[in-house]
Structures are given as structure tokens and as C-alpha cells.
């Protein structure tokens, strides 16, 4: 950008750069006659310096890096403006209605992007009659968008995105007849889309996404025949598919996602032939257009669920999809097909390596054996939420490269019944298998296969008998979820060298915790909830260096609770057992994660516990209610010792757990006073110490 090359630029447009704040001042004088030592007209210079003094200058790492990227060295103060230098600091503060900017009558371009301006946009903005470009995005402007903006009759570019406005879009905005770019996204505006926007005949880019807009897209949008990009996602729009959009033949990018549209996608959607594959609304436009080079397509990037999610768009999958014979990736997930599907139309797509047909809402049953026989190059197959049948019959030609297979059931859909096919374990590269939410009853035995398995999810089925011993040979296994079944017997005495999550909650398991668990050096989550495990307090688990979640709730554990050191433990639930005795006074001294989570929490990690394909799940009592945590924040902490026979005083060391969010000690036999050290638990959101035998006063701190 020219403005980056000097404080004043000797061209027909004078430009000032302040970090990412740009002011362009129109100068109609003959600049060639101005001596080089005079860098601008005095009135313009004074107005700009006065404008600078109206705000406090705030340092910003964002502006710092942007300036470094542009080859400009940051300065801490704006005093250097007088020395013909640029500045890399950010302005912030209230934007006054009588701002000195009013003195720059000939301004043609005003860019205040990415500062911290607050307050209302000055109503006198309409006095800048020469403005052709106005950018106030990424600030904190509030109030109403001034109606005086209509006076900017030469405006071509207008960007108010990422602010905190209130009210509706000014009705007068439709009078800006020269406008080609309009961005009002993420501005908190509400109300309906004005039909007057249809008067912006020259507009090519329109973004109204991520607001509180309701109603339908007005039919006047059909007149915007120059429009190439339209984004109205993340609102509350409703009604049927906006037929007016079919007139926008130049449209190459369209987002309607996360709204409440209903109805059938019109067949003449083919008129939108310019839509790009990268657009969220792209499938039917491409499949029905029957473009001549369709067989050359490699990937459509088809994430149709971005369109259908929170909408109710529906319609059949056209048979013409079979013509895309070179297609490598296809995602039709979460689409309402409104009836049966002929799955043979996919058999021609021999080069697919990614196929997602999950939750397509069809009544058709997918024969897994036959379906897999069509694909030799498949890497990922997603059939969750459908009617799937599978037998022990080995597919004629199974996909040898398959790594990810999702077969999870969903709500009232038919479940896969009977035995888990043994041929699944023969797939040499299978690393992720999701069998959850079906009606499987047993596993077909395997003695030498499945060695590549990393994630096996088989929760919410009807498995009975012992946990299969052949699983113990899978040395790469990181996640094993067998919860909510009918497994019985003991937990196998086995060593999973790389196991990260072991969840066998809600079964009929008996016996003791296997001492081999002490060797699970990578274990982060251990959930044994709701079984019949009969053992003493497993203090020896404190030797597991990565253990973060320990759930032993509703078993037959008994005896005293000994001193333990859990440096990374964030959630522990040993409630509803038969533990007794008093807790040592220094019991919580070495529970580092709950004391100072910031020292053990890696800020570079993802937000939730788990990995890309599996999120850990626990059920906790919070404020007297059972709370199911489908995704556990990595900063979440909880301690539940309720429903036991613990006695004596609550250890004063509990006051060290300053990062604790949930504490439940109810239904025990604790006595004495509630320790004043509990006043240090400043992060606490839920506390339950009911049904005990406390005395004295509640601590005042």
C-alpha cells in the first residue's frame, strides 16, 4: 500500500497510516508546485494531529505484527508523527460526535479498521460528501447506524463488520446506488432484510451473516444481477428457498447455513452455474448442472450439512451423481433425502477415498458387506445415523486402505444387530471404528488382526459376557469405550502400552481393579462408573503421571481413603461407594492441577479433552442435578466424594484447590466446623455439603 511508504504521500491523494488506521485525504491542489519540505496543507495536518490527540494510544500485538509484516518498525508513541514517520500503535477510546475529522471535508477514503473505537458513529458522517470508501470494521462502535449515511452518494465500498450496533439496517441504505461492496456481518443488527437493498444494482459483494436477522430474503434480491458473493448464514431467516436468488447468474459464492429454511430445493437451481465448489451451498448446483467436464472433478468439498444444519431443506439425491467417476471426496451428511436412496448410484465412484453419508434421513437399509465391495481406495466411510446391516460374510473385495469407519446408530433408526463381523479386524489399516448406539451382542473372535486399531468405540450396545481378550493384543489402542453394555466378569489383567482413555462404565463388571493399570503410563481417563467392582481405595493410581479423570462412582469400593498425590487430576468422582474413616489433614496438598491449573495446562492444546475423533464424557452432580458433560473443557475441575461414610473434619488443605469448580461432599458423616480455608475456593461454581453433621458457623470469608 502506498500509504506505508511515508507519513505523507505526495500524490493526488494524501494518505496517513496509523497502525491499521488509514486516512486518505483528497487534495485538489497541484502537488507538483508544492515544495518537498511542505508535506501537506496545514489545515489537513492540524486536523489529523488533533484527531490523534482525541484518543489514547494503546499497544497491540496484532498491530505490531502487521506492521512488522509490512516492513515498518513499531513506535510506542505518536510523537514520531511530527518526524515524518509511520506509527504502529492502535488508537482506542470514545468516538466523539464533534470529532476533528469533520474538518477534512474532501476526504475520499476513510479506513479505521481494527482499532478500539467505541461510541456511536458521528451523525455528521454524511458531510463527507466525497467519500467513496468507508471502512469502520473490527471496532466496538455501538448504537444505531446513522441514517445520514445515505448522503454519501459516491460511496462504492462500505464495511461496518464486527461491531456492536443495535437496531435495524437503515432503510435509506438502498439509495447508495454506486455501492459495489457492503459488509454488515457480525454487527448484532436485527429485524428483517430490507427490500430496498434490491436497489443496489451495482453491488457485487453482500455480507449480512452472523446477526439477528429474521424473516425471508426479499424478492427484490432478484434484481442484484451483478452479485457474485452473498452471505446470510448464522441468522434466523426462514421460509422456503429464496427463488429470487435463481436470477443471480453471476453468483459464485453463497452461504445460507445456520438458518431455518424449509421446503424443497428447486430443480432450476442449475441457473446458478457460476457457484464455486468452495461455497457451502454447492451440491445440487453442481450435480444437476451436468457440466461437460464433470468427470474431471476430483473433489467437490461437499459439506452439504453446512447448508442443511438448522434448516429443513430436502429432496432426492439425483442419479446423475454417478457421472462423477473421478470424484475422490463426497460428503452428503445431514441431508434430508425425504425418502429411499438407491445406494447403487455410488458404486460407479470407484476412486472415492472419503465418503460421508451419515444422517441422510433415509428409510433404505445399507448392506455394509455389499457396499464396501465397491470401493478399493476408500480411506474414510461415515454411515452413522442410518439403517445398516452387517453379516460375517466377508466382502468380495473390501477396501484395504480403510482407516476410519463410522457405524454409530442414531435415535429410532434400525440398529446393527448380532455379532460384530470378524472381517472388520482383517482390514490392515483400520485405526478408528465406531460401533456405538447399536444392538450388537458379541464380537467375532480374532487372534492376530486389528493390530492397527487406535480407537474402538462400542458403547450403548447389548454386549454380554467377558470383555474380549483378543483386544489385549492391540498394542496401539489409545481409546477403548465399552460403556453402557452388559459385560460381566473381571477387567482383563492386560497392558495397553498407549491407552489414553478406558471407559467401561455402566456394565456388570466384578472383582478388583487390575493392578496392571499401574503400567498405563499414558492413561488420562479411567471411568469405572456403575459396576460391581469390590476393592479398596486405589491410592496406587497416583503413580499414573497423566491421569486427569478418575470416575469410580457407584461401585462397592470400601475402606479408608489414604493420602495420595495426583499432580494432573482434574476430575475425581468416587461417590456412592462405602469409603469410611477420616481424610488426612494434608490430603489435598499434592493435588497440583486443582491448586494451580495454569501450571499444568498447556494453552496450545485444544479446548476439550480427547482428540479429533473422540471426546471424553462424564456425568457429574452439579447443584443437585445430574449433568452430562459431552465435551469436557480442559480447564474444568470437579471433586465428588458424596454418598460414602467419611467422617471427621474436612481437611483444611482443601483450601488449596483454588481452581476447583464443583465440590460435593454431601451424604457423609463429616463433623466439626466448615473450615475457613474453603473461602479460598474462588473458582467454585457448585458446593454441596448437605446431609452431614457440621456444627458452628458458616465461615465468613
Amino acid at each position: 500500500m502506498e500509504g506505508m511508504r511515508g507519513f505523507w504521500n505526495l500524490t493526488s491523494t494524501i494518505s496517513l497510516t496509523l497502525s491499521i488506521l488509514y486516512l486518505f485525504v483528497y487534495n485538489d491542489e497541484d502537488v507538483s508546485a508544492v515544495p518537498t519540505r511542505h508535506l501537506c496543507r496545514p489545515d489537513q495536518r492540524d486536523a489529523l494531529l488533533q484527531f490523534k490527540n482525541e484518543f489514547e494510544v494503546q499497544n497491540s500485538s496484532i498491530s505490531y505484527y502487521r506492521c512488522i509484516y509490512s516492513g515498518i518498525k513499531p513506535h510506542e508513541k505518536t510523537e514520531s508523527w511530527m518526524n515524518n514517520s509511520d506509527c504502529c500503535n492502535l488508537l482506542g477510546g470514545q468516538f466523539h460526535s464533534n470529532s476533528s475529522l469533520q474538518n477534512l471535508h474532501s476526504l475520499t477514503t476513510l479506513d479505521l479498521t481494527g482499532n478500539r473505537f467505541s461510541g456511536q458513529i458521528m451523525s455528521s458522517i454524511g458531510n463527507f460528501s466525497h467519500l467513496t470508501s468507508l471502512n469502520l470494521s473490527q471496532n466496538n462502535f455501538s448504537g444505531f447506524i446513522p441514517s445520514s449515511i445515505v448522503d454519501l452518494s459516491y460511496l462504492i465500498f462500505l464495511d461496518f463488520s464486527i461491531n456492536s450496533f443495535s437496531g435495524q439496517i437503515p432503510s435509506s441504505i438502498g439509495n447508495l446506488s454506486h455501492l459495489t461492496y457492503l459488509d454488515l456481518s457480525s454487527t448484532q443488527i436485527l429485524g428483517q432484510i430490507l427490500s430496498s437493498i434490491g436497489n443496489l444494482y451495482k453491488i457485487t459483494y453482500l455480507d449480512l451473516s452472523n446477526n439477528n436477522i429474521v424473516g425471508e430474503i426479499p424478492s427484490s434480491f432478484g434484481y442484484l444481477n451483478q452479485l457474485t458473493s452473498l452471505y446470510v448464514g448464522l441468522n434466523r431467516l426462514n421460509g422456503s428457498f429464496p427463488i429470487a436468488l435463481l436470477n443471480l447468474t453471476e453468483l459464485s459464492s453463497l452461504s445460507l447455513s445456520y438458518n431455518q429454511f424449509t421446503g424443497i430445493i428447486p430443480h432450476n437451481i442449475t441457473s446458478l452455474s457460476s457457484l464455486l465448489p468452495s461455497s457451502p451451498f454447492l451440491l445440487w448446483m453442481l450435480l444437476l448442472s451436468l457440466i461437460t467436464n464433470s468427470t474431471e472433478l476430483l473433489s467437490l468439498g461437499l459439506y452439504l450439512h453446512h447448508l442443511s444444519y438448522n434448516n429443513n431443506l430436502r429432496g432426492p439425491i439425483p442419479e446423475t451423481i454417478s457421472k462423477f467417476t473421478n470424484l475422490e471426496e463426497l460428503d452428503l451428511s445431514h441431508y434430508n433425502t425425504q425418502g429411499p436412496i438407491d445406494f447403487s448410484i455410488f458404486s460407479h465412484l470407484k476412486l472415492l477415498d472419503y465418503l460421508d453419508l451419515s444422517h441422510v434421513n433415509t428409510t433404505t437399509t445399507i448392506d455394509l458387506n455389499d457396499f464396501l465391495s465397491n470401493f478399493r481406495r476408500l480411506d474414510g466411510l461415515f454411515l452413522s445415523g442410518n439403517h445398516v446391516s452387517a453379516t460375517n460374510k466377508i466382502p468380495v473385495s473390501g477396501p484395504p486402505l480403510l482407516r476410519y469407519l463410522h457405524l454409530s446408530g442414531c435415535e429410532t433408526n434400525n440398529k446393527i444387530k448380532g455379532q460384530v463381523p470378524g472381517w472388520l479386524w482383517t482390514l490392515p489399516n483400520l485405526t478408528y471404528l465406531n460401533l456405538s448406539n447399536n444392538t450388537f451382542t458379541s464380537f467375532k473372535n480374532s487372534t492376530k488382526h486389528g493390530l492397527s486399531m487406535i480407537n474402538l468405540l462400542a458403547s450403548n450396545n447389548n454386549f454380554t459376557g467377558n470383555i474380549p481378550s483378543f483386544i489385549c493384543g492391540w498394542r496401539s489402542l489409545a481409546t477403548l469405550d465399552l460403556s453402557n453394555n452388559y459385560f460381566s466378569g473381571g477387567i482383563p489383567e492386560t497392558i495397553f502400552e498407549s491407552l489414553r482413555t478406558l471407559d467401561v462404565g455402566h456394565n456388570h463388571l466384578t472383582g478388583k481393579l487390575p493392578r496392571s493399570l499401574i503400567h498405563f503410563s499414558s492413561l488420562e481417563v479411567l471411568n469405572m462408573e456403575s459396576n460391581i467392582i469390590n476393592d479398596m481405595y486405589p491410592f496406587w493410581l497416583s503413580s499414573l503421571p497423566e491421569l486427569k479423570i478418575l470416575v469410580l462412582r457407584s461401585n462397592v469400593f470400601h475402606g479408608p481413603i489414604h493420602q495420595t498425590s495426583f499432580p494432573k487430576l482434574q476430575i475425581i468422582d468416587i461417590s456412592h461407594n462405602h469409603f469410611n474413616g477420616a481424610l488426612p489433614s494434608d490430603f489435598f496438598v499434592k493435588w497440583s492441577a486443582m491448586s494451580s491449573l495454569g501450571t499444568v495446562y498447556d494453552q496450545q492444546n485444544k479446548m476439550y479433552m480427547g482428540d479429533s475423533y473422540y471426546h471424553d464424557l462424564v456425568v457429574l452432580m452439579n447443584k443437585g442435578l445430574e449433568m452430562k458433560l459431552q465435551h469436557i473443557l480442559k480447564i474444568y475441575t470437579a471433586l465428588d466424594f458424596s454418598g460414602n461414610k467419611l467422617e471427621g473434619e474436612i481437611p483444611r488443605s482443601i483450601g488449596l484447590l483454588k481452581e476447583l469448580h464443583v465440590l460435593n461432599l454431601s451424604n457423609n458423616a463429616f463433623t466439626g466446623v466448615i473450615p475457613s480455608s474453603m473461602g479460598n475456593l474462588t473458582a467454585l461454581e457448585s458446593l454441596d455439603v448437605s446431609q452431614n453433621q457440621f456444627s458452628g458457623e458458616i465461615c465468613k470469608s
Side-chain angles (χ1 to χ4, degrees), residues 23 78 86 108 120 145 281 327 374 485 500 587 653 662 674 692:
L23 296 177
T78 53
D86 284 328
T108 60
Q120 296 189 5
I145 298 176
F281 180 72
L327 201 62
N374 296 311
N485 282 287
R500 192 199 68 84
F587 185 74
S653 58
V662 175
I674 297 176
N692 282 285

Side-chain angles (χ1 to χ4, degrees), residues 652 655 674-682 697-701:
R652 296 185 181 277
I674 297 176
S676 59
S677 61
M678 288 182 65
N680 298 328
L681 306 182
T682 55
E697 296 181 352
I698 298 176
C699 54
K700 297 180 180 180
S701 57

Side-chain angles (χ1 to χ4, degrees), residues 1-243:
M1 178 176 181
E2 292 297 325
M4 292 293 187
R5 298 175 183 172
F7 186 76
W8 302 113
N9 189 13
L10 297 182
T11 64
S12 60
T13 299
I14 297 178
S15 67
L16 159 68
T17 302
L18 172 60
S19 180
I20 46 178
L21 180 153
Y22 310 126
L23 296 177
F24 294 81
V25 186
Y26 178 77
N27 183 3
D28 54 5
E29 294 183 354
D30 182 3
V31 296
S32 62
V34 180
T36 57
R37 67 178 180 272
H38 299 298
L39 299 179
C40 71
R41 286 168 27 184
D43 59 329
Q44 294 175 339
R45 179 197 61 204
D46 294 343
L48 290 171
L49 293 177
Q50 183 180 350
F51 175 69
K52 178 261 297 186
N53 290 330
E54 293 173 5
F55 302 93
E56 57 181 271
V57 178
Q58 303 169 344
N59 289 329
S60 167
S61 58
I62 296 177
S63 62
Y64 175 90
Y65 287 113
R66 289 190 181 182
C67 293
I68 291 296
Y69 181 80
S70 303
I72 305 170
K73 296 181 179 180
H75 301 283
E76 295 183 355
K77 298 180 180 179
T78 53
E79 294 175 355
S80 57
W81 285 18
M82 301 300 294
N83 299 323
N84 304 336
S85 299
D86 284 328
C87 172
C88 287
N89 284 327
L90 208 60
L91 289 184
Q94 190 81 10
F95 201 90
H96 301 289
S97 59
N98 59 348
S99 171
S100 57
L101 277 181
Q102 298 178 98
N103 299 323
L104 300 174
H105 303 292
S106 300
L107 207 62
T108 60
T109 299
L110 176 59
D111 190 333
L112 304 180
T113 307
N115 290 285
R116 298 171 183 166
F117 294 126
S118 59
Q120 296 189 5
I121 299 175
M122 55 186 182
S123 58
S124 59
I125 191 75
N127 295 336
F128 299 109
S129 57
H130 293 280
L131 272 183
T132 59
S133 179
L134 176 59
N135 193 342
L136 304 182
S137 63
Q138 301 178 49
N139 281 287
N140 194 31
F141 286 114
S142 58
F144 292 91
I145 298 176
S147 58
S148 59
I149 197 172
V150 69
D151 297 325
L152 306 178
S153 56
Y154 293 104
L155 207 58
I156 297 174
F157 180 101
L158 177 59
D159 189 348
F160 283 173
S161 62
I162 313 180
N163 278 287
S164 302
F165 295 116
S166 59
Q168 304 183 26
I169 303 172
S171 58
S172 57
I173 204 167
N175 295 330
L176 300 177
S177 58
H178 294 284
L179 209 59
T180 63
Y181 185 105
L182 176 59
D183 190 346
L184 299 178
S185 63
S186 303
T187 55
Q188 303 184 32
I189 55 175
L190 45 79
Q192 297 184 338
I193 299 179
L194 303 170
S195 59
S196 62
I197 291 182
N199 298 330
L200 304 177
Y201 305 118
K202 295 183 180 181
I203 198 163
T204 60
Y205 182 98
L206 176 58
D207 192 346
L208 304 175
S209 62
N210 194 23
N211 285 299
N212 297 306
I213 302 175
V214 298
E216 300 183 4
I217 293 180
S219 59
S220 61
F221 269 44
Y223 300 122
L224 306 180
N225 53 23
Q226 302 298 315
L227 198 62
T228 61
S229 300
L230 175 60
Y231 306 101
V232 293
L234 289 164
N235 280 290
R236 291 183 290 156
L237 296 169
N238 54 36
S240 59
F241 180 86
I243 301 298

Side-chain angles (χ1 to χ4, degrees), residues 344-412:
S344 65
I345 63 177
F346 302 107
S347 63
H348 301 280
L349 309 180
K350 303 293 185 181
L351 301 183
L352 280 178
D353 60 34
Y354 180 96
L355 177 59
D356 192 344
L357 299 176
S358 59
H359 305 282
V360 291
N361 194 27
T362 179
T363 57
T364 306
T365 298
I366 304 172
D367 187 316
L368 183 63
N369 301 65
D370 291 341
F371 194 73
L372 283 176
S373 298
N374 296 311
F375 309 104
R376 295 287 297 169
R377 299 181 57 176
L378 209 57
D379 177 80
L381 177 61
F382 302 75
L383 299 177
S384 296
N386 288 292
H387 306 264
V388 179
S389 65
T391 67
N392 278 314
K393 176 185 175 183
I394 300 176
V396 176
S397 179
L401 304 179
L402 192 66
R403 290 190 298 161
Y404 308 103
L405 180 57
H406 295 242
L407 299 175
S408 175
C410 180
E411 297 178 353
T412 59

Side-chain angles (χ1 to χ4, degrees), residues 388-390 414-420 438-441:
V388 179
S389 65
N414 289 342
K415 310 290 188 178
I416 311 179
K417 303 175 181 179
Q419 196 173 54
V420 177
N438 285 290
T439 53
F440 286 116
T441 57

